[in-house]
Amino acid sequence: MPCRLRLEIATAFINKASMKIVARLFMTAAMAALFAVAPAIVHAQELNTQELGNPLPGLSLEGVNTYAPPVLKQPLADLLTGTLTLAAQLTGDSPELTRGLTWRVFSPEPGPDGKLPLIHSAQGGTTTLTLDPGSYLVHASFGRAGATKRITVGRESQRESLVLDAGGLKLDAILSGGKRIPPAKLKFSIFEATESADGDRALIVPDVKPNTVVRLNSGTYHVVSTYGDVNAVIRSDIRVEAGKLTEALVEHKAAQLTLKLVREKNGEAIADTSWAVLTDSGDIVKENVGAFASMVLAEGTYTVIAKNRDRIYQKDIEVVAGRNDDVDVITENDVAAAKAVQTGEEPID
């Protein structure tokens, strides 16, 4: 009777546990307690099972886990970081930029080299980053325009917008009379408008091709337009407004000339000729070597000197804006021969 009583108690305990089980861990503990009783009790249970039938039909212990399944739906690392979404606008009321941005996130504390360590970078438009909680310096660049903002990141998702206060500048140039300038011979350089103590200006963007949109922060800039590579240069101050595209067209008063040394008008050019072009005050503006010397000169008066086989020839010319021309220097204009005639000396052969 004691064995039967203990069997009934154990059976009732199991039935109650199977109906009210909450976790698999509790079931495992209950079954472990059942099978840990004395051998006599186990034997009695087997006998009563035969007599009473299986009180636990369909019960199977296979697959029972000894631990509770995880309830986290995201990696543990995500719980220790914050999500930061970054966006940028040209002005406070303009739409967010969707492309052309470069994002850089720096630590606010300098590294051993004295520079701010780069933590993260991204390109495009609006971007989302995962960062450890803390303080960062976020820089957004849009062409040559940019803005920096200190941002503190926590474990909650947050969104920050930077206002660039920027616009665009597109440059082009023409000749007098509206004639277009070949793009390959035209370039622009953009400087800061304010001069330094020594009279120089900081260069912002060099060698800008015509009709190229340059993105800049709003403000006034000093623009240098160069036609050719000699002295056809135009300088101007241009203001860029935030959220707008500023188009500037400058006019060059210059012309392209092709110089050649000939024995007669419209004759064949003589090879191995050295050239020098001087202003009316005697300053050299251009030197060249070859049968043909092609160059762009600002309008004005010049002296052209050609040297060939130790003989020197020269000619005074007038450059008219927009009038491209070929200039023939004839060997009759021999400086040495002319000097000999003036002094009564024998000309050099």
Side-chain angles (χ1 to χ4, degrees):
M1 289 301 294
C3 291
R4 182 182 184 88
L5 177 60
R6 296 174 68 177
L7 176 60
E8 291 177 353
I9 293 173
T11 304
F13 176 76
I14 294 174
N15 288 332
K16 183 178 181 180
S18 63
M19 290 185 293
K20 296 184 178 181
I21 184 168
V22 177
R24 294 183 180 179
L25 182 60
F26 181 76
M27 172 62 77
T28 303
M31 295 305 299
L34 176 64
F35 287 100
V37 297
I41 300 176
V42 174
H43 177 69
Q45 181 181 12
E46 290 176 354
L47 293 176
N48 283 276
T49 299
Q50 295 176 358
E51 296 174 1
L52 304 176
N54 186 2
L56 303 174
L59 176 64
S60 174
L61 300 180
E62 295 183 3
V64 175
N65 295 325
T66 59
Y67 58 89
V71 295
L72 297 177
K73 296 183 179 181
Q74 55 182 324
L76 181 60
D78 289 351
L79 299 178
L80 305 178
T81 58
T83 300
L84 175 62
T85 300
L86 298 170
Q89 304 163 266
L90 292 179
T91 62
D93 56 357
S94 64
E96 294 181 357
L97 296 170
T98 59
R99 60 179 181 175
L101 287 167
T102 298
W103 295 98
R104 294 182 178 89
V105 180
F106 297 91
S107 169
E109 301 298 330
D113 58 356
K115 299 180 180 179
L116 298 179
L118 178 64
I119 304 300
H120 205 293
S121 64
Q123 293 185 341
T126 301
T127 186
T128 300
L129 308 176
T130 300
L131 300 169
D132 294 332
S135 181
Y136 299 91
L137 291 176
V138 177
H139 178 78
S141 61
F142 186 59
R144 297 290 176 164
T148 302
K149 186 176 183 180
R150 181 184 288 270
I151 297 174
T152 300
V153 177
R155 291 191 175 90
E156 299 295 330
S157 299
Q158 65 187 89
R159 182 183 182 88
E160 297 286 345
S161 182
L162 277 71
V163 178
L164 300 177
D165 187 31
L169 178 60
K170 185 165 71 171
L171 302 166
D172 200 3
I174 58 174
L175 291 171
S176 297
K179 186 176 181 180
R180 307 299 298 182
I181 297 176
K185 295 183 178 295
L186 184 63
K187 64 180 179 181
F188 299 89
S189 295
I190 302 176
F191 297 82
E192 289 186 357
T194 305
E195 295 182 352
S196 61
D198 55 4
D200 293 332
R201 290 184 171 91
L203 177 62
I204 298 176
V205 191
D207 300 332
V208 179
K209 297 300 182 183
N211 293 311
T212 299
V213 176
V214 182
R215 299 156 180 164
L216 299 165
N217 288 108
S218 63
T220 301
Y221 297 88
H222 186 75
V223 177
V224 178
S225 174
T226 304
Y227 173 31
D229 59 356
V230 186
N231 64 347
V233 177
I234 300 294
R235 297 176 178 269
S236 55
D237 290 336
I238 300 174
R239 179 164 183 78
V240 175
E241 296 186 24
K244 297 181 180 179
L245 175 63
T246 301
E247 299 185 58
L249 183 66
V250 300
E251 180 180 328
H252 277 278
K253 295 184 178 180
Q256 179 169 325
L257 304 182
T258 300
L259 311 178
K260 59 181 180 177
L261 179 65
V262 296
R263 293 184 174 84
E264 58 184 4
K265 184 66 174 177
N266 298 324
E268 184 177 351
I270 300 174
D272 300 325
T273 301
S274 298
W275 297 93
V277 179
L278 288 68
T279 63
D280 52 4
S281 61
D283 298 325
I284 297 177
V285 296
K286 181 67 174 179
E287 293 181 306
N288 208 336
V289 177
F292 298 91
S294 182
M295 62 191 70
V296 176
L297 297 172
E299 65 176 359
T301 301
Y302 301 88
T303 297
V304 177
I305 297 177
K307 181 179 180 181
N308 184 270
R309 295 185 180 183
D310 296 328
R311 303 193 69 98
I312 299 175
Y313 313 91
Q314 76 174 40
K315 182 178 181 179
D316 294 333
I317 62 172
E318 182 77 18
V319 176
V320 179
R323 185 185 299 172
N324 299 337
D325 199 4
D326 293 337
V327 176
D328 291 343
V329 178
I330 303 176
T331 54
E332 294 176 355
N333 302 322
D334 190 330
V335 176
K339 182 178 179 181
V341 171
Q342 294 174 359
T343 60
E345 298 175 358
E346 290 292 331
I348 299 176
D349 187 4

